[in-house]
Amino acid sequence: MTSTVEVKDASLDLAKLAGAALLLIVGIFAFYYFAAWSGLLRVLGLLVITGAAVAIAFQTEQGRALWQFIADARMEVRKVVWPTRQETIQTTLVVMAMVVVVALVLWLFDTVLMAILRFLTGQGG
């Protein structure tokens, strides 16, 4: 008995997702079909249609799972201990200094290797 209900729910979810996709396609088509209209009106219309399609999609099992994932992710972001402004500036300065040091070391290696190569090939003056 539960398998029949699950099949009906799955087919209803599929119909909702197909309806949402169709609504998006119609909205995009209307956006370009009414090119002579004001751009503001067309964008607002497209936003309304997109909002309706998203609302329909969120009524499916996959949509509810996505919404739960978003809510859980927001909760985890609130738990993060973010660095202070001073810590961020100090870390940035250390990274920039290390980039300069590594660039100088690589330049020095390149110069030495090029000098050795010119000496071995006889192209040096």
Side-chain angles (χ1 to χ4, degrees):
M1 184 158 175
T2 59
S3 63
T4 311
V5 173
E6 289 176 8
V7 170
K8 286 182 182 178
D9 286 344
S11 63
L12 184 60
D13 280 356
L14 186 61
K16 286 179 184 178
L17 288 174
L22 182 64
L23 192 59
L24 276 177
I25 292 170
V26 167
I28 293 170
F29 175 77
F31 179 82
Y32 289 109
Y33 183 76
F34 295 109
W37 288 28
S38 167
L40 177 65
L41 289 176
R42 293 184 314 149
V43 168
L44 286 176
L46 187 59
L47 286 175
V48 167
I49 289 174
T50 302
V54 168
I56 292 170
F58 275 147
Q59 299 304 314
T60 64
E61 185 63 35
Q62 295 92 349
R64 285 188 287 273
L66 176 64
W67 187 254
Q68 185 61 44
F69 174 76
I70 291 169
D72 291 344
R74 288 188 65 206
M75 187 183 326
E76 290 299 321
V77 167
R78 286 191 206 121
K79 293 179 185 178
V80 172
V81 178
W82 297 101
T84 64
R85 180 177 177 87
Q86 182 181 2
E87 291 171 339
T88 305
I89 290 172
Q90 288 174 347
T91 304
T92 303
L93 290 175
V94 168
V95 168
M96 290 171 64
M98 288 307 299
V99 166
V100 169
V101 168
V102 169
L104 289 173
V105 168
L106 290 176
W107 172 76
L108 182 63
F109 285 159
D110 183 51
T111 303
V112 169
L113 291 174
M114 188 58 75
I116 292 170
L117 184 65
R118 285 186 183 150
F119 174 74
L120 291 175
T121 59
Q123 295 180 356

